[in-house]
Amino acid sequence: MRDIILVNSKPYDGVQTLILNEIEYWDMYDSLKELRKDYTALVFTSKHAIKSLQKAIEKYPQFEYLKIIPAYVIGESSARVLEKYQFNVEYIGKDSHGIGFASELIPLLQHKKVLYFRAKKIVSGLDEILSHAKIYVKQIIAYENKKSNITNLTKPASKSILIFTAPSHYTSFVQQFAWDDSYIAIAIGLTTFSVFDAEIKAFVSPKQNIEGCIEFAKEVAQRLV
């Protein structure tokens, strides 16, 4: 059986995890204090953005009002985080890929003022798609996915199946290790898949969550026994 390795920013129960990146939540006070209270929608494409905003609200309670604004979120797992922190969940995306989610949002966000809480670096193009649709979007950087300073890392064995949960995780992997042609890569979504080098053998998970990626990786491993 091939090794299945999750390349992620934190350990995950039930699977070997290779941590090459770390999440840094940004202090958003300067960005939030400039906001007028006339925004009518929040957009989230990541649990990290939600958690970063929750931390900001806990530190600066004057921004609690943001929880009342209808929130549009890319998937069920992120929606559960919003509900946990008592945000006002208005819409859960049916398409968990960035481009598809953006297309769903266009008719829903017409004539609204939108706050988009995002990573420092994004590749989904959601911001551009909404802007081209003439939707007003104010972007606030909530977190950064940074390369870890850990150096004593072991390269995965040949024929490993590697699960990547963010574009930056793949970028960090190829910077840290030379790619082995026997590897198989699994992307959590199309945005991550889009940064893979063309020559590698890769798939997109049918389900856009870590549990689904692991399940799919096991199916691939069984087929290749």
Side-chain angles (χ1 to χ4, degrees):
M1 178 72 72
R2 293 176 179 240
D3 290 343
I4 296 173
I5 299 171
L6 172 67
V7 184
N8 199 29
S9 57
K10 62 180 180 180
Y12 193 87
D13 290 342
V15 67
Q16 184 179 343
T17 309
L18 178 61
I19 298 174
L20 298 177
N21 286 52
E22 58 189 12
I23 301 298
E24 178 184 324
Y25 294 146
W26 282 35
D27 187 308
M28 294 182 280
Y29 178 78
D30 287 341
S31 297
L32 296 177
K33 73 177 182 179
E34 301 297 331
L35 296 177
R36 296 178 61 181
K37 294 185 179 181
D38 60 349
Y39 285 89
T40 53
L42 308 181
V43 169
F44 299 97
T45 56
S46 164
K47 289 184 286 189
H48 295 303
I50 300 166
K51 291 176 179 179
S52 182
L53 180 56
Q54 173 63 21
K55 282 180 172 289
I57 291 171
E58 290 173 357
K59 189 174 181 180
Y60 310 112
Q62 64 267 42
F63 304 123
E64 183 82 20
Y65 74 91
L66 291 168
K67 291 190 174 184
I68 300 172
I69 301 171
Y72 299 72
V73 62
I74 195 167
E76 292 283 353
S77 60
S78 293
R80 287 195 292 270
V81 178
L82 283 172
E83 290 167 349
K84 173 184 174 182
Y85 295 130
Q86 298 181 314
F87 281 81
N88 178 14
V89 179
E90 175 70 17
Y91 179 79
I92 303 171
K94 297 178 177 61
D95 190 328
S96 296
H97 304 294
I99 294 175
F101 180 52
S103 298
E104 291 177 34
L105 291 179
I106 290 172
L108 301 175
L109 297 180
Q110 292 293 332
H111 312 301
K112 296 184 183 294
K113 286 190 67 176
V114 179
L115 282 174
Y116 173 29
F117 292 90
R118 46 162 283 192
K120 180 181 179 182
K121 183 177 180 180
I122 57 174
V123 296
S124 68
L126 181 140
D127 55 330
E128 296 178 359
I129 293 170
L130 295 183
S131 294
H132 288 160
K134 309 300 181 185
I135 295 169
Y136 179 88
V137 181
K138 168 75 173 176
Q139 301 182 60
I140 296 181
I141 297 175
Y143 70 98
E144 182 176 2
N145 197 331
K146 303 171 60 177
K147 193 172 188 302
S148 172
N149 292 322
I150 299 173
T151 56
N152 58 336
L153 297 168
T154 302
K155 182 177 180 178
S158 294
K159 299 185 178 181
S160 292
I161 299 176
L162 305 172
I163 300 169
F164 295 96
T165 57
S168 55
H169 296 164
Y170 174 74
T171 301
S172 294
F173 185 91
V174 295
Q175 288 175 350
Q176 182 75 34
F177 305 112
W179 188 264
D180 187 319
D181 289 339
S182 68
Y183 289 155
I184 294 174
I186 292 176
I188 198 168
L190 290 173
T191 301
T192 300
F193 185 83
S194 70
V195 303
F196 288 169
D197 291 307
E199 65 272 13
I200 75 172
K201 187 172 184 180
F203 303 94
V204 178
S205 173
K207 297 179 182 178
Q208 279 65 63
N209 54 54
I210 293 177
E211 296 92 336
C213 288
I214 295 170
E215 179 183 330
F216 181 60
K218 289 178 179 178
E219 292 174 5
V220 172
Q222 288 287 349
R223 292 203 300 263
L224 296 175
V225 170

